[in-house]
Amino acid sequence: MKLILIPSIIGMVAAGVYGGIDMYTDVCSGTMIRYNEGQPQQTSETKKTAGQKQKLADKIKPELKQPVQQKASIDSSEFKVASKVKKIEWFSEEIYSRGDPEIYLRPVDEVVLPAPEQTDSTAIVSASTETVSDTLSPKE
Amino acid sequence: MNSRILTARKALSLTTLLFFWLPIGLFSLLLVYNTIPYFDFNPHLPFLEERKVLYDKPVWRISFYIHIAAGSFCILTALTQFSSWILKKRKKIHAWAGKTYVFVVLLLGAPSGFYMTFFAEGGAGERICFMFMAVFWFYSTYKGFVAAVREKNFLSHKFWMIRSYSMALTAVTFRIYHIIFFVNGMGHFQNYSISLWISVIGNALVAEAIIFFQSKNYLKTLTA
């Protein structure tokens, strides 16, 4: 009988002491277990909702594709307009004040910017120099 | 004895068998059946996933497996102990099953359970409740064993073993209350706490009521 009783009493005391020390060290180190309220139910619920989410996503996917494509086309057209608007912004009145006034009256979409006339001006310059050179040529 | 009294006694024993021992036996077997998956030593079971921090501790892990194995043994062996037929006709079965129960509770079940109470789910109150349960389970089993083996006081042995079994049965009654409150839509933590207190105090009160009605001097049963 003593063979059972003495080890059992020692075991019980040891369990209490070791458990107390173990809990104390956990509390001091901040590693004490914290149970989340309703976790078992939550896990089953999340599993459910995850499944439902997938089903819902599968259902919505084809319907979502169309608006996405539409949006892409709208975006591209908007991008075109925006690029034109940018060009208009760059289109300074000071530079082109002497140009055709009709471009200010035309709607944005129809505006086609004229190419910079730098080549023409150089041509004019070269032409003028040519004329000068022509006039001052030693041939004559 | 009057035949009517005999018939009433038979009816009472049959009612007790149908409405007490049959559900208790079925739920005990269900509890033991539910512990089988844990012996796969798979740490990914929901109960162990929730206690991953504890599962990483070797002492807690060993205590857990010892406790569930010991608990299953206790519940199965204790089921045979209150049968009057086994007590009268098969005394050896009672003695061997009783020795197994005492050995398992004192050396394995109660110490491992007592260590685990420090990390039990719930607040300080629930942990104290578990501690009381573990200590009282150990003490009542110890007293019952000493009463039978050393003192040969079998009436005292019977009463202390009723107390011990009432504590062992908290594992079964806790799950019954837990299911009932869960069906009624109670929150997990509240359900856990209430089920625990009701099962421990309720079982202790039922045991004391049985002892009170069976004993001539109730107070003497507490000291004997």
Side-chain angles (χ1 to χ4, degrees):
Chain A
M1 202 172 87
K2 277 183 183 176
L3 275 174
I4 294 176
L5 293 181
I6 292 166
S8 66
I9 291 166
I10 292 168
M12 200 67 177
V13 172
V17 171
Y18 188 75
I21 292 166
D22 210 4
M23 191 184 77
Y24 179 74
T25 49
D26 275 11
V27 170
C28 288
S29 61
T31 54
M32 186 68 184
I33 186 167
R34 284 180 188 181
Y35 295 95
N36 295 326
E37 189 176 337
Q39 205 180 13
Q41 279 92 352
Q42 270 182 359
T43 45
S44 61
E45 283 297 309
T46 42
K47 271 180 192 170
K48 242 187 200 177
T49 48
Q52 283 172 347
K53 241 184 186 177
Q54 190 59 42
K55 277 180 187 174
L56 205 65
D58 293 343
K59 249 187 186 179
I60 290 168
K61 253 182 192 173
E63 289 165 20
L64 268 174
K65 271 179 188 170
Q66 218 178 343
V68 166
Q69 283 168 352
Q70 281 175 358
K71 196 175 178 281
S73 64
I74 290 163
D75 283 353
S76 63
S77 63
E78 273 177 356
F79 177 71
K80 278 175 192 169
V81 172
S83 63
K84 279 180 183 174
V85 168
K86 266 190 178 176
K87 278 177 185 172
I88 301 287
E89 279 170 4
W90 174 75
F91 183 70
S92 166
E93 209 180 318
E94 282 177 19
I95 303 162
Y96 293 98
S97 60
R98 276 171 282 170
D100 193 352
E102 267 184 36
I103 61 164
Y104 300 112
L105 302 171
R106 270 185 256 162
V108 174
D109 287 354
E110 287 174 34
V111 171
V112 179
L113 293 174
E117 289 175 10
Q118 216 176 2
T119 48
D120 293 344
S121 63
T122 49
I124 290 161
V125 169
S126 61
S128 61
T129 48
E130 268 177 20
T131 49
V132 168
S133 61
D134 284 345
T135 51
L136 299 170
S137 63
K139 287 174 188 174
E140 289 181 52
Chain B
M1 201 181 275
N2 195 339
S3 64
R4 283 183 184 178
I5 293 169
L6 281 172
T7 315
R9 273 192 177 180
K10 274 186 180 175
L12 186 71
S13 65
L14 193 71
T15 313
T16 321
L17 182 77
L18 277 176
F19 293 101
F20 184 78
W21 286 113
L22 199 68
I24 289 290
L26 286 173
F27 278 109
S28 301
L29 291 173
L30 186 68
L31 178 72
V32 174
Y33 177 75
N34 283 339
T35 57
I36 293 168
Y38 291 102
F39 294 105
D40 198 21
F41 301 103
N42 177 14
H44 301 296
L45 290 164
F47 182 85
L48 297 175
E49 280 276 332
E50 198 185 353
R51 289 156 180 81
K52 204 188 171 305
V53 182
L54 297 171
Y55 194 82
D56 292 338
K57 288 181 177 188
V59 179
W60 190 91
R61 195 165 58 234
I62 292 163
S63 296
F64 170 76
Y65 286 116
I66 287 174
H67 188 71
I68 57 167
S72 303
F73 255 100
C74 288
I75 283 168
L76 289 176
T77 51
L79 275 175
T80 60
Q81 296 304 82
F82 294 93
S83 162
S84 52
W85 180 79
I86 289 173
L87 265 170
K88 282 172 190 168
K89 308 269 178 180
R90 299 278 185 273
K91 281 187 178 175
K92 274 191 177 177
I93 292 175
H94 179 83
W96 275 106
K99 277 174 189 169
T100 312
Y101 176 84
V102 169
F103 175 81
V104 167
V105 171
L106 297 183
L107 286 173
L108 305 169
S112 60
F114 190 43
Y115 168 75
M116 285 165 70
T117 61
F118 290 94
F119 308 97
E121 191 172 351
E126 282 73 33
R127 280 173 195 167
I128 289 166
C129 183
F130 271 121
M131 280 173 197
F132 162 77
M133 204 172 88
V135 171
F136 189 64
W137 191 31
F138 179 87
Y139 182 71
S140 53
T141 312
Y142 170 85
K143 286 287 280 181
F145 181 60
V146 169
V149 176
R150 194 187 287 169
E151 296 162 5
K152 306 284 180 196
N153 183 350
F154 294 105
L155 197 66
S156 173
H157 164 74
K158 183 188 171 183
F159 294 147
W160 280 113
M161 282 305 175
I162 287 172
R163 287 179 181 125
S164 170
Y165 188 52
S166 77
M167 288 295 107
L169 264 189
T170 51
V172 176
T173 51
F174 169 79
R175 278 154 184 87
I176 295 169
Y177 293 128
H178 202 259
I179 292 164
I180 291 167
F181 292 134
F182 177 75
V183 169
N184 286 316
M186 197 180 273
H188 172 69
F189 190 76
Q190 200 182 4
N191 182 355
Y192 181 87
S193 181
I194 291 171
S195 303
L196 176 69
W197 282 105
I198 292 177
S199 60
V200 173
I201 293 170
N203 282 18
L205 286 176
V206 168
E208 293 310 316
I210 291 166
I211 295 164
F212 181 79
F213 287 114
Q214 286 192 2
S215 62
K216 286 176 185 170
N217 190 348
Y218 172 73
L219 288 174
K220 213 178 173 184
T221 63
L222 295 166
T223 52

